[in-house]
Amino acid sequence: MTFEPLASDFYGYETLLTDEEKGALAALRSYLESEVKPVVNGHWEKATHPDGIMKGLAGTGAFSFAWDETRPFENSAVFRGFVALELARVDASVATLVGVQNGLAMGSISVTGSPEQRAEWLPKMASGEIVGAFGLTEPTSGSDSAQGLRTTATRDGDEWVLNGSKRWIGNATFSDITVIWAKDAEDGQVKGFIVPTSTPGYSATKIENKQSLRIVQNADITLEGVRVPESLRLQNANSFRDTAKVLRLTRAEVAWAAVGNSVGAYEAALRYARERVQFGKPIASHQLVQDLLVKSIGNITASLGMVVRVSQMLDDGTQKDEHSALAKAYTTSRMRETVAWCREALGGNGIVLDYDVARHFADAEALYSYEGTREMNTLIVGRSITGFAAFV
């Protein structure tokens, strides 16, 4: 399948990819353009989940590329970043579905699971046979999850008893398993558990009336005396520091998704500007419209440079929390500017779904807030550069 560089990749960062990576990216793009893009506005408007999309995405390798147990070929973190960009370029909700399955749920098992747990669960999740969710955020604990986690895990012989609640858990209305993070009642440390959603005492209720990432099925989860065996405790998750190892990876991926959401809005605005005629000529020939488009591609290009470098640092083993935090804070801030400029370029048509920009505009707000708010990521970077923690 022929790979066509994106016109929005103004400095040509895609030239860093191998031919095999370009081929996989082209196959993903083909699936997204033919099977996903035509239906996302309808599902976004109705806040529904497209049937079969998890299996379809699995067929592209979207859940497989990152992990030793499942990757079809050796690939770079830059390539995996471009996968996130391609997904969000078509729809940020779809990018989030993949981010939850591949980054958060599979990432938790890969980073903190035992070899046996990785071998058992990752291939099934890569194929789409098993859908996962990630349960960290709680109704009263978001940014302060390291200290404010209230869900408890109590050891009872060869089992653990989980009690508590979770909120904003993506994929949780249809997941087969959810990785639940809970505080050990004995030592106070945060531990992770693979919880089959059919377990008695586990329930998930869809959060209604969202106005961002409407395709993502977020849920409130209640855990009442949920019993899981010791074999389903993530064996290398012994404190919140281990949880943070997962979040470091996914935070950088969200930064890539923010660039992709900006690209989707920019491409829609550019297409509209070339076609929309006012005062006898396309509005793309108007100076003020060109200004909006150039500012947008400037933000995209600067953000691409940052996420490419942070992914290279992941590959060479030098990426730290502050590096992914800066990327997430910066790219989501620039995304907010970009989608607003793109909406402005469409005038009144920028607020209807027909032209796609309205969806990218609304979805930007969720990307801006989840996986660490701009403020929390700023404080992570601030601690690194000053040597002083200013979280409280």
Side-chain angles (χ1 to χ4, degrees):
M1 190 170 295
T2 303
F3 174 79
E4 295 291 339
L6 292 174
S8 49
D9 180 12
F10 203 63
Y11 282 6
Y13 285 108
E14 288 167 320
T15 58
L16 298 171
L17 303 176
T18 66
D19 289 342
E20 196 165 20
E21 289 172 337
K22 289 177 182 177
L25 208 60
L28 172 65
R29 187 182 299 170
S30 176
Y31 169 76
L32 293 172
E33 292 287 345
S34 63
E35 303 297 327
V36 177
K37 191 171 183 178
V39 303
V40 289
N41 281 341
H43 283 287
W44 196 96
E45 184 176 26
K46 298 174 184 175
T48 53
H49 177 81
D51 291 336
I53 192 171
M54 299 302 283
K55 283 288 188 180
L57 289 166
T60 70
F63 307 139
S64 306
F65 295 125
W67 317 116
D68 291 340
E69 293 81 0
T70 61
R71 65 169 58 103
F73 59 89
E74 288 299 315
N75 59 80
S76 66
V78 173
F79 161 72
R80 297 191 296 274
F82 270 109
V83 168
L85 185 153
E86 286 286 347
L87 291 162
R89 169 179 166 261
V90 170
D91 184 67
S93 290
V94 174
T96 302
L97 296 177
V98 174
V100 172
Q101 171 83 347
N102 176 59
L104 290 170
M106 294 177 70
S108 295
I109 295 170
S110 180
V111 172
T112 67
S114 67
E116 294 77 16
Q117 288 171 330
R118 295 197 300 271
E120 177 180 358
W121 294 102
L122 293 181
K124 295 176 183 177
M125 297 177 76
S127 70
E129 176 187 347
I130 296 291
V131 175
F134 177 88
L136 177 62
T137 301
E138 298 182 351
T140 59
S141 175
S143 295
D144 68 340
S145 291
Q147 298 178 352
L149 211 64
R150 289 170 172 78
T151 298
T152 60
T154 305
R155 185 72 181 260
D156 182 17
D158 291 332
E159 293 183 319
W160 292 81
V161 182
L162 307 181
N163 286 285
S165 57
K166 300 293 179 180
R167 184 164 173 81
W168 294 117
I169 311 306
N171 296 0
T173 62
F174 59 92
S175 64
D176 301 294
I177 62 170
T178 299
V179 175
I180 294 292
W181 298 93
K183 190 167 288 187
D184 187 337
E186 182 176 349
D187 64 15
Q189 295 296 327
V190 174
K191 293 179 169 61
F193 301 85
I194 301 170
V195 180
T197 57
S198 59
T199 305
Y202 177 103
S203 64
T205 305
K206 179 180 175 180
I207 296 174
E208 303 285 358
N209 301 319
K210 289 192 306 163
Q211 299 304 304
S212 185
L213 297 183
R214 287 173 56 81
I215 292 175
V216 178
Q217 305 298 293
N218 294 93
D220 286 313
I221 291 176
T222 301
L223 304 152
E224 295 181 341
V226 173
R227 287 183 170 269
V228 295
E230 165 65 11
S231 62
L232 291 183
R233 181 179 66 83
L234 292 170
Q235 297 298 300
N236 296 309
N238 298 307
S239 73
F240 191 80
R241 289 188 180 89
D242 298 316
T243 316
K245 294 175 184 176
V246 180
L247 298 177
R248 181 192 307 165
L249 300 177
T250 56
R251 190 166 286 142
E253 189 171 295
V254 174
W256 275 97
V259 182
N261 194 52
S262 297
V263 168
Y266 166 78
E267 289 179 345
L270 179 59
R271 182 170 58 250
Y272 181 88
R274 286 169 169 166
E275 297 171 354
R276 174 72 166 175
V277 174
Q278 293 284 277
F279 302 104
K281 58 183 180 180
I283 63 171
S285 65
H286 296 168
Q287 289 182 352
L288 293 179
V289 172
Q290 288 193 4
D291 180 61
L292 294 172
L293 295 172
V294 171
K295 287 190 296 186
S296 296
I297 201 168
N299 272 354
I300 290 167
T301 304
S303 296
L304 256 177
M306 179 173 283
V307 293
V308 164
R309 181 59 192 142
V310 83
S311 291
Q312 290 173 331
M313 295 173 78
L314 176 61
D315 276 335
D316 63 27
T318 60
Q319 189 198 102
K320 298 179 181 178
D321 288 343
E322 56 265 30
H323 298 134
S324 58
L326 180 60
K328 202 276 179 177
Y330 181 85
T331 59
T332 54
S333 295
R334 300 292 75 76
M335 169 191 62
R336 257 182 152 191
E337 294 176 342
T338 301
V339 298
W341 289 329
C342 293
R343 193 225 58 78
E344 184 179 345
L346 270 70
N349 285 332
I351 66 169
V352 293
L353 281 173
D354 307 60
Y355 300 91
D356 295 332
V357 172
R359 174 167 46 82
H360 289 291
F361 180 90
D363 288 346
E365 289 305 294
L367 291 173
Y368 180 73
S369 296
Y370 76 45
E371 291 282 352
T373 63
R374 185 199 64 81
E375 291 79 7
M376 291 303 295
N377 282 308
T378 294
L379 295 179
I380 292 171
V381 180
R383 177 180 60 190
S384 171
I385 63 178
T386 66
F388 294 98
F391 292 95
V392 293

